[in-house]
Amino acid sequence: EVSFNANLASDFVFRGFSYTDNGPALQGGMDYSHDSGAYAGTWLSNLDDGTDTDYEYDLYAGYWMEVGELEVDLGLVSYNYGDGGYDTAEAYAVITKDALSLSVYADVDAYSTTHISAGYSASLPQEMTLDLTAGYLIDGNETWEDDIVDMTATIGKSFDVADVSLTVSNVDYTFAEDDTLVFLTVGTEF
């Protein structure tokens, strides 16, 4: 099965940091999934992060399976930044049980970082959803000069034509210019 997605976001925020200087982002991707649990995809977004590149594209592949009452997702994602020279890749494992999830993303290329996060998802009245995430970035070779804690809370609702979500993101990092960011995302899948 092949699917496509497109998003318009008022800010491109990843692990607590804005990658578009608090400006809008147009994003889109394509995913392939197989009945066996194997999947692969790509994703693209514009950037404005003070580097020499103005776009990011990601490539990823993985395998999803059920182990008892757990859902297990294992894979590899590469982050590519055109001419910016900051390309890297992470291996990941995500374990989900009911509304709770735990994920580990370990850099296997350039930065020797490991990002660990825990998540909780809940249904709200009016067919809305709530997603809470807390993450911790372990800086293996002191690239960032400090470990980083990030937290997000997202309220979302699906409509016939699009999915809409409002996210509040906070990062605890010595050199962060904006500790708390709020952004709106409108997206669709087809």
Side-chain angles (χ1 to χ4, degrees), residues 6 12 27 69 99 107 147-148 163 165 186:
F12 173 17
Q27 304 165 336
E69 297 181 353
D107 188 278
D147 292 342
I148 302 170
D163 300 326
S165 62
V186 178

Side-chain angles (χ1 to χ4, degrees), residues 15 27 30-31 40 49 67 69 79 87 90 115 156 162-163:
R15 294 178 184 166
Q27 304 165 336
M30 179 181 69
D31 294 285
D49 62 351
V67 180
E69 297 181 353
Y79 307 95
D87 298 357
E90 292 178 329
H115 187 266
D163 300 326

Side-chain angles (χ1 to χ4, degrees), residues 135-146:
Y136 181 69
L137 183 74
I138 302 169
D139 191 356
N141 60 3
E142 300 183 355
T143 301
W144 297 95
E145 301 180 30
D146 198 1

Side-chain angles (χ1 to χ4, degrees), residues 47-78:
L47 289 182
D48 184 6
D49 62 351
T51 63
D52 294 332
T53 186
D54 56 4
Y55 66 93
E56 171 187 343
Y57 70 93
D58 303 341
L59 303 171
Y60 49 87
Y63 183 76
W64 179 92
M65 59 187 152
E66 291 184 344
V67 180
E69 297 181 353
L70 302 177
E71 297 177 18
V72 179
D73 186 5
L74 305 173
L76 181 70
V77 56
S78 69

